[in-house]
């Protein structure tokens, strides 16, 4: 089949027998039909060399290692979500392979997209569990890849907080898609299950009630603001990209639940945000730009009633 020929091309390339990376990519794209998931999972075995040892590829049986299977299944769910709801064919919309590395470093308390692949730590077991445990976190990391290929939001200040927010918005929708949850039935938490039982908290972040996800003697209190009036300035965290992302996050939560009171987040709000991410935002766009663009796209896609609800959602977070 074409798919098998595409994989054969990639294998030839990996073994150094094929022409250039670019030509190889183009050959793979033209041979791989939309809807073909191409996933790999690697094991860093506690080290930081990427990608590590290949431990699972498409069509392989499940591993005995739960983190390997969660990375594999989670990236599959993210692929399925983007294709089913936005007709998007992988991170680059050209069928790009989804590569993940698990067991990165020792007791590593994070997960990240490195510009080419996902990377997951095991957590220290004291504060954090393994980072593959929450499918919204997998959706969050892969959406950094989508943003890189689309709006390319600069990772600092307001554009960086929008970049972070897009990852939470689509990560949360991935979880709602997997759980078949309507907007008003979702918990709107990011990273539920990631904090150990020892921690006083329920998740990494709350999109509906920012600032309430945890309050713990070791971790401190969830620092996220629920309104532009409380925007956190400073140089830490690239100007608070993981802090102030809660402001556009809550605008999305309010838009999704009011635009689709009996439906799904992606029905209207998700479709608006997706169009804005892919075709309207620019690398240096800020919160007010995102507000104006989502208000405009609500009118373009749906009409005046929807436009009014999106305007109201942003107004409620001080924009
Ligand atoms: N988990 C974090 C994120 O995806 C890692 C980072 O700071 N880039 O935003
Ligand atoms: Zn992120």
């Amino acid at each position: 089949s074409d798919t098998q020929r595409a994989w054969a091309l990639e294998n030839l390339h990996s073994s150094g027998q094929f022409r250039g990376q670019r030509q190889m990519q183009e050959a793979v794209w033209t041979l791989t039909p939309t809807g073909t998931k191409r996933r790999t999972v690697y094991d860093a075995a506690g080290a930081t060399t990427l990608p590590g040892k290949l431990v699972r590829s498409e069509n392989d049986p499940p591993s005995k290692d739960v983190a390997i299977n969660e990375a594999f299944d989670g990236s599959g769910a993210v692929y399925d979500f983007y294709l089913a709801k936005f007709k998007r064919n992988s991170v680059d919309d050209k069928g790009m392979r989804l590569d993940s590395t698990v067991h990165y470093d020792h007791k590593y308390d994070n997960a990240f997209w490195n510009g080419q692949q996902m990377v997951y730590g095991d957590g220290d077991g004291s504060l954090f569990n393994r980072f593959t445990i929450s499918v919204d976190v997998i959706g969050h990391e892969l959406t950094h890849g989508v943003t890189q290929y689309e709006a390319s939001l600069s990772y600092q200040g307001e554009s960086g907080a929008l970049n972070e927010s897009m990852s939470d918005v689509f990560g949360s929708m991935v979880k709602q898609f997997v759980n078949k949850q309507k907007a008003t039935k979702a918990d709107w938490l990011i990273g539920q299950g990631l904090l150990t039982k020892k921690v006083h908290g329920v998740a990494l972040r709350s999109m509906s009630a920012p600032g309430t996800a945890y309050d713990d003697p070791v971790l401190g209190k969830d620092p996220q603001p629920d309104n532009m009036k409380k925007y956190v300035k400073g140089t830490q965290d690239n100007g608070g990209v993981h802090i102030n992302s809660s402001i556009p996050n809550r605008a999305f939560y309010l838009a999704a639940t009011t635009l689709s009171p009996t439906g799904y987040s992606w029905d209207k709000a998700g479709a608006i945000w997706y169009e804005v991410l892919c075709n309207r935002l620019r690398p240096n766009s800020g919160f007010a730009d995102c507000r104006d663009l989502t208000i405009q796209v609500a009118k373009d896609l749906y009409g005046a009633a929807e436009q009014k609800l999106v305007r109201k959602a942003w107004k409620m977070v001080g924009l």
Side-chain angles (χ1 to χ4, degrees):
S1 71
D2 279 353
T3 308
Q4 285 164 324
R5 286 167 62 199
W7 287 329
L9 285 175
E10 282 200 310
N11 293 341
L12 273 174
H13 180 259
S14 317
S15 61
Q17 293 170 49
F18 205 65
R19 39 197 174 154
Q21 170 81 2
R22 175 88 207 157
Q23 282 171 297
M24 187 280 301
Q25 264 301 337
E26 273 165 15
V28 170
W29 287 334
T30 51
L31 287 168
T32 308
T34 296
T36 312
K37 285 193 279 285
R38 302 189 302 127
R39 291 166 287 179
T40 62
V41 183
Y42 294 80
D43 188 344
T48 56
T49 309
L50 291 175
K53 175 188 152 72
L54 180 64
V55 288
R56 190 171 171 190
S57 299
E58 205 64 46
N59 302 325
D60 284 355
S63 165
K64 281 182 272 182
D65 180 332
V66 64
I68 292 170
N69 297 329
E70 286 170 344
F72 185 89
D73 294 342
S75 49
V78 178
Y79 180 94
D80 290 343
F81 164 74
Y82 272 106
L83 183 63
K85 299 305 162 191
F86 305 117
K87 297 181 169 29
R88 186 182 189 86
N89 183 12
S90 192
V91 159
D92 63 353
D93 201 17
K94 291 177 176 177
M96 173 179 164
R97 209 178 57 213
L98 301 178
D99 297 333
S100 309
T101 295
V102 297
H103 306 309
Y104 177 80
D105 207 347
H106 182 63
K107 299 190 173 186
Y108 187 69
D109 278 338
N110 216 334
F112 60 93
W113 169 260
N114 78 344
Q116 299 182 102
Q117 66 158 106
M118 290 150 286
V119 184
Y120 301 98
D122 292 331
D124 58 9
S126 170
L127 294 172
F128 294 96
N129 293 316
R130 64 183 183 278
F131 277 70
T132 49
I133 213 164
S134 305
V135 76
D136 47 358
V137 168
I138 298 179
H140 176 108
E141 300 313 335
L142 274 168
T143 300
H144 278 308
V146 173
T147 297
Q148 175 184 317
Y149 282 91
E150 300 294 347
S152 193
L153 290 159
S154 173
Y155 208 61
Q156 43 104 23
E158 286 193 25
S159 58
L162 282 176
N163 186 320
E164 269 306 305
S165 176
M166 288 296 177
S167 276
D168 280 352
V169 160
F170 289 90
S172 177
M173 281 193 282
V174 166
K175 184 169 89 171
Q176 293 171 40
F177 176 76
V178 167
N179 295 338
K180 301 181 174 23
Q181 266 174 342
K182 295 192 170 176
T184 56
K185 302 289 182 190
D187 60 20
W188 295 94
L189 296 171
I190 300 291
Q192 200 211 9
L194 209 45
L195 301 178
T196 63
K197 283 172 285 185
K198 293 168 215 164
V199 176
H200 190 276
V202 293
L204 291 181
R205 295 182 282 279
S206 166
M207 297 178 69
S208 57
T212 68
Y214 56 88
D215 190 351
D216 179 83
V218 182
L219 270 188
K221 186 186 169 314
D222 175 1
Q224 289 204 301
D226 61 3
N227 192 285
M228 197 60 191
K229 283 188 293 228
K230 302 181 211 163
Y231 186 96
V232 177
K233 291 183 186 160
T235 54
Q236 273 188 26
D237 184 32
N238 298 106
V241 297
H242 293 90
I243 299 175
N244 298 306
S245 52
S246 54
I247 295 166
N249 274 359
R250 185 156 182 267
F252 180 79
Y253 152 77
L254 291 166
T257 50
T258 56
L259 286 168
S260 300
T262 64
Y264 294 101
S265 294
W266 47 83
D267 291 342
K268 287 183 175 176
I272 294 166
W273 258 246
Y274 185 72
E275 165 64 17
V276 165
L277 175 64
C278 294
N279 298 316
R280 312 282 174 122
L281 284 168
R282 294 294 167 245
N284 291 312
S285 295
F287 287 2
D289 299 312
C290 191
R291 172 199 62 199
D292 294 346
L293 292 166
T294 53
I295 290 170
Q296 181 59 47
V297 171
K299 171 121 176 296
D300 294 349
L301 292 182
Y302 304 107
E306 284 82 357
Q307 179 176 44
K308 195 173 161 186
L309 289 173
V310 174
R311 188 179 285 120
K312 187 175 174 189
W314 285 103
K315 185 122 188 127
M316 286 181 70
V317 300
L319 277 150

